[in-house]
Amino acid sequence: MTDSPKAFHIVFLLFDGITQLDFTGPAQVLCRIPGAIVHTAAREVTPIQTDSGFAILPSTNFADCPQADLLCVPGGFGTRDVIEDEITLQFLRDQAAAAEYVTSVCTGSLALGAAGLLEGKRATSHWAYTGLLQKFGATHEKARVVKDGNLITAGGVTSGIDFALTVVADVAGQQLAESIQLSLEYDPHPPFNSGHPDVADPALLALLHERVYRKTLQDLAGIIDRQ
């Protein structure tokens, strides 16, 4: 008879306006770590509205949330509210102080920055917002996954799956990480070669920035500068 694996507590921060794949992509991978227990934490245990038209019910509030072995902050347009919310930022500080891994996906890194957890670190974020990292004393490193000590940050949205597989390999070995990748059939062959600014049509990039990201980028920069 083998001993049960030691509990490995994974805490995801949830907030209104979250990009659901920033959370659900890594969760699908990380939940397969032996002993994994996934907690979804929000200020209150009430439905959290995602960017995809459906809501997620958190499993715990901040006060009752167990200490994370791995803390993960997803991103989304709701990040601008998170970085102004001192209660949420203090929760991140408290959890990060004893976590083995402090992580983010997409603009979740900006929340870590607002909590003072990026100072002097190498980090990344969604490509549209990487220029904001320096405002938190971080150095942007151009990669889908950036590891600096126990801090692991991932780029935009789908990069969260890469980050999660990286963590699995670190925690439980490469063989398990590879088996999870195979079981999920994570073998991307996108139909278009437009998934990063380096390869996208410049006209498309400019259009997307103008229609989607410009105002949010300005809003975030203004909020950060006022802090």
Side-chain angles (χ1 to χ4, degrees), residues 9-11 39 65-72 95-96 98-101:
H9 292 277
I10 300 166
V11 173
H39 308 276
C65 184
Q67 171 59 51
D69 294 298
L70 184 148
L71 172 67
C72 184
Q95 285 284 334
E100 185 177 355
Y101 298 92

Side-chain angles (χ1 to χ4, degrees), residues 123-142:
T124 193
S125 189
H126 185 284
W127 58 262
Y129 305 101
T130 54
L132 297 177
L133 293 170
Q134 63 182 345
K135 292 179 179 289
F136 299 113
T139 300
H140 172 231
E141 183 172 306
K142 189 176 181 181

Side-chain angles (χ1 to χ4, degrees), residues 77-89:
F77 289 118
T79 302
R80 60 185 137 193
D81 295 322
V82 172
I83 65 177
E84 290 190 289
D85 181 4
E86 183 56 32
I87 292 176
T88 299
L89 297 180

